[in-house]
């Protein structure tokens, strides 16, 4: 049985990805940060799959915590075949109001978490000559978002790292891609009014806001045989918002 590790895997897009892989026969290591309530709720919902689900509290911005988590998860389910780096945070505000602490926190979790996870998981993928790595990016990493400059910058860094890793790891038969969501109904939209959300839906050519399952479906596709010739791509799942 294959083993997938998913960071930020207990709510929103992450929870949808966790379910997608569990329902398709994977062993899943699901990382969360500090919200144990989300973890407990998801574990209860997925109780029928408990023998294939390992929920771990892990601060992905902490290299030591990531190393320990990877070692423990490998001892439980074997080496990681698929890595999905989804953990991320955002902060809305004008660029000149962000502090140095804001910069460090957002960068260390969004990009640093991706770096730490790949740092500890890639060696085993190279050894077995195979694996799939998917980062959850954002369309704002491609085009930039006013009042989310730091968030946009971290997602741009992820996109560049994905392309570089794909070139570096391709000879080892490891595929590296990013899925770049558009406007998706998650907690990150809680700061928007209903009027704002309706406007965003109207700006989307398909006429709706995305849901987490839209993203999970693309992530899963990239790990299948049907996606076996796809690497180094930043794949927009945005309903046509960014064309």
């Amino acid at each position: 049985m294959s083993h997938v590790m998913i960071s930020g895997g207990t709510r929103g897009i992450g929870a949808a990805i966790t379910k997608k892989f569990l329902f398709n026969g994977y062993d899943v290591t699901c990382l969360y940060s500090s919200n144990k309530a989300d973890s407990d709720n998801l574990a209860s919902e997925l109780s029928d799959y408990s023998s294939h689900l390992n929920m771990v509290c892990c601060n992905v911005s902490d290299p030591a915590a990531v190393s320990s988590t990877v070692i423990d998860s490998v001892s439980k389910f074997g080496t990681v075949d698929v890595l999905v780096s989804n953990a991320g945070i955002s902060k809305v505000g004008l660029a000149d109001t962000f502090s140095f602490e804001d910069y460090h926190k957002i960068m260390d979790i969004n990009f640093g978490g991706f770096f730490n996870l790949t740092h500890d998981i890639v060696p085993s993928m190279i050894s077995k000559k195979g694996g799939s790595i998917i980062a959850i990016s954002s369309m704002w990493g491609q085009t930039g978002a006013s009042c989310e400059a730091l968030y946009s910058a971290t997602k741009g860094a992820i996109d560049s790292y994905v392309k570089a890793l794909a070139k570096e790891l391709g000879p080892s038969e490891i595929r590296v891609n990013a899925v770049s969501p558009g406007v998706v109904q998650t907690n990150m939209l809680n700061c928007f009014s209903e009027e704002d959300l309706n406007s965003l839906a109207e700006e989307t050519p398909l006429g709706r806001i995305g849901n987490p399952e839209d993203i999970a479906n693309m992530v899963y596709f990239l790990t299948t045989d049907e996606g076996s010739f796809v690497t180094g791509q930043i794949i927009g799942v945005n309903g046509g918002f960014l064309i």
Side-chain angles (χ1 to χ4, degrees), residues 137-151:
S137 183
S138 168
M139 66 179 181
W140 302 133
Q142 297 167 267
T143 190
S146 175
C147 297
E148 287 189 271
L150 282 179
Y151 178 78

Side-chain angles (χ1 to χ4, degrees), residues 8-219:
T10 59
R11 63 182 179 181
I13 290 171
I17 295 169
T18 293
K19 293 175 186 177
K20 186 72 177 181
F21 279 93
L22 268 179
F23 298 162
N24 281 278
Y26 275 73
D27 287 325
V28 178
T29 296
C30 177
L31 310 185
Y32 66 97
S33 56
S34 58
N35 196 328
K36 194 170 186 304
D38 287 335
S39 171
D40 290 344
N41 289 339
L42 186 63
S44 176
E45 180 182 347
L46 299 173
S47 58
D48 290 346
Y49 298 84
S50 59
S51 62
H52 299 288
L53 178 61
N54 183 29
M55 312 281 277
V56 184
C57 183
C58 176
N59 176 5
V60 295
S61 69
D62 180 349
V66 169
S67 293
S68 176
T69 296
V70 170
I71 290 169
D72 290 345
S73 66
V74 167
S75 69
K76 184 176 179 67
F77 289 143
T79 56
V80 176
D81 302 289
V82 176
L83 169 64
V84 182
S85 180
N86 172 65
I89 60 172
S90 181
K91 184 170 183 177
V92 176
L94 298 175
D96 60 358
T97 66
F98 291 133
S99 66
F100 191 68
E101 289 73 23
D102 292 330
Y103 156 73
H104 259 299
K105 185 175 182 180
I106 296 173
M107 182 62 77
D108 288 351
I109 291 174
N110 293 10
F111 177 71
F114 182 39
F115 170 81
N116 291 334
L117 288 163
T118 54
H119 179 270
D120 278 31
I121 289 172
V122 161
S124 65
M125 288 184 172
I126 292 174
S127 293
K128 65 186 179 185
K129 289 190 71 68
S132 181
I133 297 170
I134 300 111
I136 305 302
S137 183
S138 168
M139 66 179 181
W140 302 133
Q142 297 167 267
T143 190
S146 175
C147 297
E148 287 189 271
L150 282 179
Y151 178 78
S152 299
T154 63
K155 296 301 185 176
I158 286 170
D159 291 351
S160 293
Y161 200 58
V162 160
K163 294 174 184 178
L165 279 181
K167 292 178 180 178
E168 184 174 324
L169 300 179
S172 296
E173 300 179 36
I174 300 166
R175 292 177 291 112
V176 189
N177 293 287
V179 173
S180 184
V183 183
V184 177
Q185 189 63 61
T186 68
N187 289 344
M188 280 193 177
L189 296 186
N190 288 347
C191 60
F192 292 94
S193 68
E194 184 174 352
E195 183 180 355
D196 291 333
L197 295 177
N198 288 336
S199 295
L200 288 168
E202 289 175 4
E203 288 183 58
T204 304
L206 288 183
R208 69 173 177 89
I209 287 174
N211 59 63
E213 290 72 26
D214 293 322
I215 311 307
N217 290 338
M218 178 57 72
V219 170

